[in-house]
Amino acid sequence: MTPSPTPDTPPAPLTGLRVLDLATLFAGPLCATLLGDFGAEVIKVEHPTRPDPSRGHGPAKDGVGLWWKVLGRNKRTVTLDLSTPGGRATLLRLATTADVVVENFRPGTLEKWGLGWEELSAANPRLVLTRVTGFGQFGPYSNRPGFGTLAEAMSGFAAATGEPEGPPTLPPFGLADSVAALATAYAVMTALAARTTTGRGQVVDMAIIEPILAVLGPQLLWYDQLGYVQPRTGNRSRNNAPRNIYRTADGSWLAVSTSAQSVAERVMHLVGRPELIDEPWFATGHGRAEHADLLDEAVGGWIARHTRTDAVAAFEKAEAAIAPVYDVRDIVADPQYQALGTITEVPDPELGPLRMQNVLFRLSETPGAIRWAGRPHGADTEEVLSELGLTPADITALRTEGAL
């Protein structure tokens, strides 16, 4: 049986919303996870013999993929082969009960199976069909395989990331997919808000190559107006200085930012170089960035003579911005993350207690919650289909057909 929230759990804001997650790897499923965290009932639909590959991505414990435990949380799992007649009919029946469908097949795949927008909207005119692909539903690249790595390359992110003399650099995690998931969850809620006025659902077309552009700031405008192309600057910024990573006397690394003029001045007093404040170029972030070598020498030299603890304490006393460069061990031990409840423990019948990231934000009246971690492949198939009105004989027939 699907785990249930405790009786004293307040209703979450998306309670009553039903989402069918047909997507895999990673933007579409993460969008559904974000909705499920705040109360949406998410039904994860996977192929009977080819489950979501995220179940096998990264390290596993006792043969159970750990990434799936996060990505699959708050989801009921069913199996369905949408290419079979029984699978198609069952999906359409599920769609009549749903508010949102999230899919990331190549454009035209759902249509080939008779499950395109025409059929889905006929079954449920209030449905929001959310289509997440690498390049969108149309255009010269729309039928290409698309992954977040390609978006990180094509967006300009990789070109602007890395050391000045080094190669473009890709992130070691699914950055573009995660940004697209956040954008897709926003798009879904926007479409649902529109539905309250129009009474109709609509199609969300999300191309993974697009949302990451939004977080790259004014690079397009700089090029449009000035012909300026953002170069690789390593840990430095072209907009202010000092801004870098500096090594302490005990071998730790600290990040310093001086986006505000007042903070930059405090840092110079702290490191014993107040005379630099009187230089004409120090008055602007751009001017300071042009003298980054000098400022890095001043700040880096001071930090190199202090331990991490002493340097952080001195910066905090001076009301200057500094943070240690953490790995996951530091994150788990950090008192601020502990105070926020950023990491929570989730009971799991397969692996026992699991620590993972909590829901994305806090709401004072209708908070989200992790009700359960990712469940085994197809664990809720019979329960969900029975709720849909299928009899045991119906379910057996679908299994015989290979639809389940």
Side-chain angles (χ1 to χ4, degrees):
M1 295 291 290
T2 306
S4 300
T6 58
D8 58 349
T9 303
L14 299 184
T15 297
L17 191 75
R18 175 173 268 200
V19 178
L20 305 182
D21 174 10
L22 316 184
T24 59
L25 290 180
F26 282 99
L30 181 55
C31 163
T33 302
L34 297 173
L35 299 174
D37 282 351
F38 285 90
E41 179 196 3
V42 180
I43 298 174
K44 175 72 176 182
V45 179
E46 298 174 86
H47 191 277
T49 61
R50 298 190 300 276
D52 188 326
S54 67
R55 290 181 179 273
H57 263 56
K61 180 181 178 183
D62 299 334
V64 179
L66 296 176
W67 199 335
W68 168 252
K69 287 296 179 182
V70 179
L71 190 64
R73 70 193 195 188
N74 293 335
K75 299 180 183 182
R76 303 165 80 190
T77 62
V78 306
T79 59
L80 207 57
D81 184 345
L82 304 182
S83 68
T84 64
R88 174 187 181 276
T90 304
L91 193 281
L92 285 174
R93 194 162 172 175
L94 273 171
T96 64
T97 71
D99 298 280
V100 180
V101 170
V102 181
E103 65 96 2
N104 71 337
F105 299 104
R106 287 199 203 182
T109 301
L110 283 184
E111 286 75 8
K112 178 180 66 176
W113 294 334
L115 291 169
W117 175 239
E118 182 177 344
E119 292 84 2
L120 289 171
S121 61
N124 181 358
R126 292 176 56 81
L127 188 70
V128 172
L129 175 59
T130 307
R131 320 194 77 164
V132 186
T133 56
F135 302 103
Q137 294 296 307
F138 56 91
Y141 302 163
S142 60
N143 283 309
R144 291 183 181 180
F147 298 100
T149 297
L150 308 188
E152 289 146 11
M154 291 180 62
S155 64
F157 172 86
T161 304
E163 294 300 321
E165 302 305 320
T169 302
L170 295 167
F173 57 92
L175 176 63
D177 277 306
S178 299
V179 173
L182 291 165
T184 306
Y186 169 50
V188 167
M189 297 311 299
T190 302
L192 292 172
R195 191 180 70 173
T196 64
T197 301
T198 66
R200 301 187 307 276
Q202 59 184 297
V203 177
V204 172
D205 178 6
M206 178 61 69
I208 297 173
I209 60 172
E210 292 184 305
I212 194 168
L213 285 172
V215 302
L216 289 176
Q219 290 190 28
L220 285 170
L221 186 59
W222 285 343
Y223 176 72
D224 175 64
Q225 295 296 303
L226 302 172
Y228 175 77
V229 177
Q230 172 73 40
R232 288 189 289 283
T233 59
N235 293 318
R236 287 179 173 177
S237 168
R238 296 297 293 264
N239 304 313
N240 67 82
R243 191 265 198 181
N244 213 325
I245 302 295
Y246 307 97
R247 193 165 193 174
T248 66
D250 54 352
S252 296
W253 292 93
L254 299 175
V256 172
S257 177
T258 57
S259 296
Q261 180 70 21
S262 59
V263 173
E265 293 176 5
R266 289 177 203 145
V267 170
M268 290 302 103
H269 282 291
L270 173 62
V271 302
R273 299 297 301 275
E275 76 280 0
L276 295 178
I277 299 171
D278 297 327
E279 296 288 345
W281 49 262
F282 196 89
T284 67
H286 180 71
R288 296 197 307 274
E290 290 184 334
H291 294 78
D293 286 343
L294 176 60
L295 295 173
D296 277 347
E297 180 182 356
V299 176
W302 184 90
I303 287 178
R305 298 191 297 273
H306 294 76
T307 66
R308 181 173 101 167
T309 299
D310 290 344
V312 170
F315 267 72
E316 289 182 351
K317 184 177 181 180
E319 298 184 0
I322 194 169
V325 176
Y326 278 175
D327 64 23
V328 69
R329 294 166 295 187
D330 301 302
I331 293 168
V332 169
D334 183 83
Q336 182 62 31
Y337 281 126
Q338 291 174 0
L340 293 173
T342 306
I343 300 169
T344 190
E345 188 171 276
V346 181
D348 182 69
E350 289 187 287
L351 298 178
L354 305 173
R355 282 187 294 179
M356 64 177 67
Q357 303 95 316
N358 209 337
V359 299
L360 197 58
F361 49 86
R362 288 161 293 281
L363 296 178
S364 62
E365 299 298 324
T366 55
I370 302 172
R371 302 182 295 283
W372 61 83
R375 288 171 56 71
H377 182 225
D380 305 293
T381 301
E382 293 197 10
E383 182 179 80
V384 170
L385 297 188
S386 296
E387 292 170 359
L388 201 58
L390 275 69
T391 67
D394 295 331
I395 295 172
T396 298
L398 287 171
R399 290 197 185 280
T400 301
E401 181 191 341
L404 301 183

